[in-house]
Amino acid sequence: MPALSHTVQLRQRISAFIEQRNAEGLCATLSALRNADFRTASQYLGQMEVWRVLSEEEFWGFFRVLAVDNAKAYVGTLIKVVVALNKRQKLAFDSSDFRSFAQEEATAIDRRKMLEAFLPLMEDPVGVERLMATLFREEDTEHVRVMSFFRVGTPACYFLLFRALKQMDADLSYLRRIAVELIRKGDKTSFNLAAILQRYFDLGTLPGTFSLQMPPYELSRLDQSYDNFLKILLR
């Protein structure tokens, strides 16, 4: 039987640490690798199948250990794994290791990357708000929250964007700027939200022609429920 290649041996070592739930051992082994082997290992760790033996809680344990050791090397790779794992089976994002990393150890850049990758995975406003509560810190302003909702642009995020803007209704110039930027996004959902903002906040003329029709009674019900909002946003 021919000897196993160096790459195969390296992959087997990595898999053994994962199967043994030994995150610290894996971290120490990876730290000792030469540059070429480290690149090979990182590519292997980026494959969802490598992590399928773990529960969600166990995976976040590995995530935290590796990210704390070398965020630049691992956070981006593991974020992609999270997205892939979520496609296979919806993740809860309620792990204590995930919360600890997000709230105590992650940099602002780490948290922004996670927000941009994980918020689109949330299917309703409750999930979005729960994730925001984990990833946001006290020093993050309401404007930062607004821009997070704006960038992600899912219906759930747009519902929370609308609600957040209601708390800023005294600053019409800011509301108008958000509406204009929504128009510039160019997609139908963003365009409809701009139309909603125009009518609801009486923003005056905007650089666009809207076909969305909203009777006054519908406007008054917009934030009463997510379903009411969706019926208009996706019309």
Side-chain angles (χ1 to χ4, degrees), residues 4-29:
L4 295 175
S5 71
H6 178 67
T7 297
V8 171
Q9 291 181 42
L10 177 58
R11 290 178 176 179
Q12 288 182 343
R13 289 172 62 197
I14 291 171
S15 293
F17 282 116
I18 293 173
E19 290 167 4
Q20 295 161 11
R21 279 62 176 173
N22 186 354
E24 289 75 14
L26 175 61
C27 187
T29 296

Side-chain angles (χ1 to χ4, degrees), residues 95-113:
S95 162
S96 59
D97 281 309
F98 172 53
R99 287 195 300 271
S100 294
F101 175 69
Q103 296 174 3
E104 300 169 15
E105 297 146 347
T107 66
I109 293 175
D110 294 334
R111 289 187 292 116
R112 177 181 57 78
K113 289 179 179 178

Side-chain angles (χ1 to χ4, degrees), residues 83 86 90 93 112-124 128 131 148 151-157:
V83 174
N86 189 77
K90 292 297 180 183
F93 292 90
R112 177 181 57 78
K113 289 179 179 178
M114 289 190 288
L115 275 170
E116 291 178 357
F118 299 162
L119 278 182
L121 308 180
M122 303 296 107
E123 297 179 344
D124 56 58
V128 172
L131 186 63
S148 294
R151 280 193 293 268
V152 174
T154 61
C157 282

